[in-house]
Amino acid sequence: MLTFAVPAFLLAGALAMLVPLALHLIRRRPPGRVPLPTARFLAEDPRNAVRVSRPTDLPLLVLRMLLLLLVGAALSRPVWIPAPEGTSTVVLLDRGGGVDAEGWRTGLSAARQALLGPEGEARGELVLFDSAAVHVPRARVRPALFDSLLAAGPGRARSDYGVALRAIPSATRALRGADSVTVRMISPLSRAGWSPGLGVLRESAWPGAIQITRLPMAHDSAAADLPASSRRAYVVAGEGGRFVSVALGALGYEVQVIPPTGLAAATDTMSPDSGAYFVLTQPDHPTARELISRVRRGASLVVASTAVVDSGAWSYMMPWDGPFTVRPNSGGTLWLGPDLRIGGAAGRVEGRTTEGAWTVAAWDDGRPAATAMRGVRGCSVYVGTALEGGDLPFQAEYPAMLGRLARGCESQDESKIDRPLDSGAVQVLRGRGASSIAANRLAAAGGIAFGRWLLAAALAVALIETLLAYTRRAPR
């Protein structure tokens, strides 16, 4: 369907094109002079003879009429709008390294459901993104496309949500004929994809809300974190320690369980400058000072939330800023990177990393769950939950989690640690307003504008008319 924003200009152009026709049809001819002897007795008539005749130059007439019609049509701003198609969708599908095979399959299924109709017809545009975006036009969105993407699997590049947002305007401009447009992002929503200034970019990329489908982040088996069999681990626990010792033994550690008051007595059988110390219950002051000295000489210290209840002998050394009070029934899932996550925690301590420390694990809302800090030669790690509480010990990822905590200072660069976006960042990506935006509010305006092309055609006709009139000018 062809529509005109200002149809009056088209009417004015159609009327103006009649002017050259009238000028060509009306010919003004001066009267002829006849040298008759009796002419001296007649008075001279000042009028000219005007008569209507056939046009003498049809190509020039047609060009002049066409020029006026094209100018009027261009000023009327015509737009071609295809048949109404209802609501179309732009799907932003994350294919970055934070998506595992299961998440990739889930994401493709959600994208297929959003973009394909009951008969397999395309209902929108697909944008695949990681560190770069690939726009798949609607003409190529077919069931075979999703089958080939499933066979190819996700990529390994780091995802960038800014890249996905910048691809929205071009994708929406391609949706001709849509009454309204929705945008859906399918991604694990990891912190690695966030970049400074993304909030401003989000507001300019899309005027409404973005529908978000969250995928699970990639994670591998616990065997990926197996350390060397010569590593030693010491579990400091008054009661318990059985789950931690068994899990560390499965990782290849030589494990020794020590009561809090027996650390000094066991010094002869312990390596003074290495090993991993897992503290599960609150030690007395002499034991705390002994553990601090071992960290300074090169040991790794992992302290559970149950071992620090107040600002005691070693809380100043903990990489934690905030209270040490556990909130019961407030646990969740711990994320220790794109390859490891574990659920089942029974409670958590709310706080943040202290100055000089970094996060080695985060909760599923993005808040710190475990932080690490170097201590001269060694490392201290604070875990904001009980290591043997809830369902943590019964998860398949439990040994890998302990191994990652024991090597917390090996990932000092916080930018390398991928964890889920916090709820505030997710809300920024989602945005505000309606999720379905009318097509006339978008740059595409729901159709194809022909105004500029008609002006170009009018310019070409004007040039041809000028050349033709010049070549046919009669010599003087």
Side-chain angles (χ1 to χ4, degrees):
M1 181 178 62
L2 189 63
T3 63
F4 300 90
V6 189
F9 279 108
L10 180 61
L11 179 60
L15 294 177
M17 66 179 292
L18 299 178
V19 175
L21 178 62
L23 294 178
H24 276 253
L25 292 178
I26 300 176
R27 189 190 314 173
R28 301 172 63 86
R29 180 196 293 180
R33 296 181 181 273
V34 181
L36 295 176
T38 57
R40 65 181 182 273
F41 300 109
L42 300 175
E44 183 177 359
D45 189 354
R47 295 176 298 173
N48 293 328
V50 178
R51 53 184 292 187
V52 177
S53 61
R54 300 178 63 182
T56 58
D57 198 335
L58 286 178
L60 198 59
L61 171 63
V62 171
L63 287 174
R64 289 169 177 171
M65 296 176 66
L66 181 61
L67 173 62
L68 294 174
L69 182 62
L70 288 175
V71 171
L75 294 177
S76 66
R77 290 185 289 176
V79 176
W80 172 258
I81 300 179
E85 299 177 354
T87 300
S88 297
T89 304
V90 174
V91 172
L92 309 175
L93 180 58
D94 191 344
R95 63 172 184 182
V99 183
D100 60 7
E102 178 185 356
W104 181 242
R105 187 181 302 105
T106 303
L108 284 176
S109 177
R112 183 194 295 260
Q113 184 178 3
L115 293 177
L116 294 182
E119 302 297 329
E121 70 278 9
R123 297 187 298 191
E125 308 276 316
L126 175 63
V127 176
L128 302 170
F129 74 94
D130 44 25
S131 58
V134 176
H135 178 202
V136 182
R138 179 168 44 183
R140 293 179 51 199
V141 177
R142 296 291 183 266
L145 170 67
F146 294 98
D147 295 337
S148 62
L149 291 175
L150 179 61
R156 296 183 177 273
R158 184 173 179 176
S159 298
D160 186 349
Y161 299 124
V163 169
L165 294 176
R166 283 189 288 269
I168 294 178
S170 61
T172 55
R173 282 194 294 267
L175 292 172
R176 308 296 182 184
D179 296 332
S180 58
V181 180
T182 62
V183 176
R184 172 174 295 183
M185 177 179 287
I186 304 175
S187 170
L189 298 183
S190 62
R191 186 175 177 180
W194 189 267
S195 57
L198 203 61
V200 178
L201 176 61
R202 167 64 185 86
E203 293 180 359
S204 61
W206 181 246
I210 294 179
Q211 301 177 16
I212 292 180
T213 301
R214 195 160 192 168
L215 301 177
M217 293 184 66
H219 63 283
D220 298 329
S221 65
D225 283 316
L226 285 176
S229 60
S230 60
R231 298 290 296 271
R232 297 194 177 193
Y234 307 97
V235 179
V236 181
E239 295 181 359
R242 179 171 60 91
F243 294 112
V244 172
S245 60
V246 171
L248 291 175
L251 290 178
Y253 280 92
E254 296 180 8
V255 185
Q256 182 177 355
V257 180
I258 303 173
T261 57
L263 183 62
T267 301
D268 296 338
T269 61
M270 300 169 60
S271 176
D273 300 327
S274 63
Y277 293 83
F278 286 80
V279 184
L280 307 183
T281 55
Q282 186 177 18
D284 55 16
H285 284 239
T287 302
R289 287 194 296 267
E290 179 65 24
L291 289 170
I292 292 173
S293 66
R294 292 179 182 276
V295 172
R296 291 171 177 170
R297 295 198 300 265
S300 295
L301 179 65
V302 180
V303 181
S305 62
T306 52
V308 182
V309 295
D310 55 23
S311 56
W314 63 2
S315 60
Y316 74 93
M317 193 177 175
M318 289 295 96
W320 192 257
D321 188 2
F324 295 96
T325 303
V326 179
R327 292 176 51 198
N329 302 322
S330 61
T333 301
L334 288 87
W335 301 71
L336 293 97
D339 59 337
L340 181 59
R341 60 178 179 172
I342 181 172
R348 71 166 75 177
V349 177
E350 296 292 350
R352 56 188 180 273
T353 57
T354 189
E355 184 178 358
W358 59 92
T359 301
V360 296
W363 297 108
D364 42 12
D365 59 2
R367 299 183 182 183
T371 58
M373 182 175 61
R374 294 195 179 276
V376 186
R377 295 178 57 190
C379 176
S380 60
V381 177
Y382 176 75
V383 186
T385 188
L387 291 179
E388 291 193 341
D391 294 331
L392 275 180
F394 307 105
Q395 308 300 317
E397 297 83 5
Y398 184 66
M401 179 195 73
L402 298 179
R404 188 70 59 87
L405 294 175
R407 303 195 307 275
C409 288
E410 295 182 7
S411 301
Q412 184 173 359
D413 186 2
E414 186 178 359
S415 63
K416 296 180 181 179
I417 302 173
D418 195 6
R419 55 185 186 269
L421 277 180
D422 57 73
S423 57
V426 173
Q427 187 59 39
V428 170
L429 279 180
R430 181 177 289 110
R432 296 175 294 180
S435 59
S436 181
I437 304 299
N440 56 14
R441 290 184 55 190
L442 306 177
I448 304 175
F450 289 100
R452 65 180 66 182
W453 302 107
L454 291 175
L455 283 178
L459 181 61
V461 170
L463 180 61
I464 296 173
E465 189 273 341
T466 302
L467 294 176
L468 186 61
Y470 179 79
T471 58
R472 296 191 178 186
R473 183 182 298 174
R476 294 178 181 271

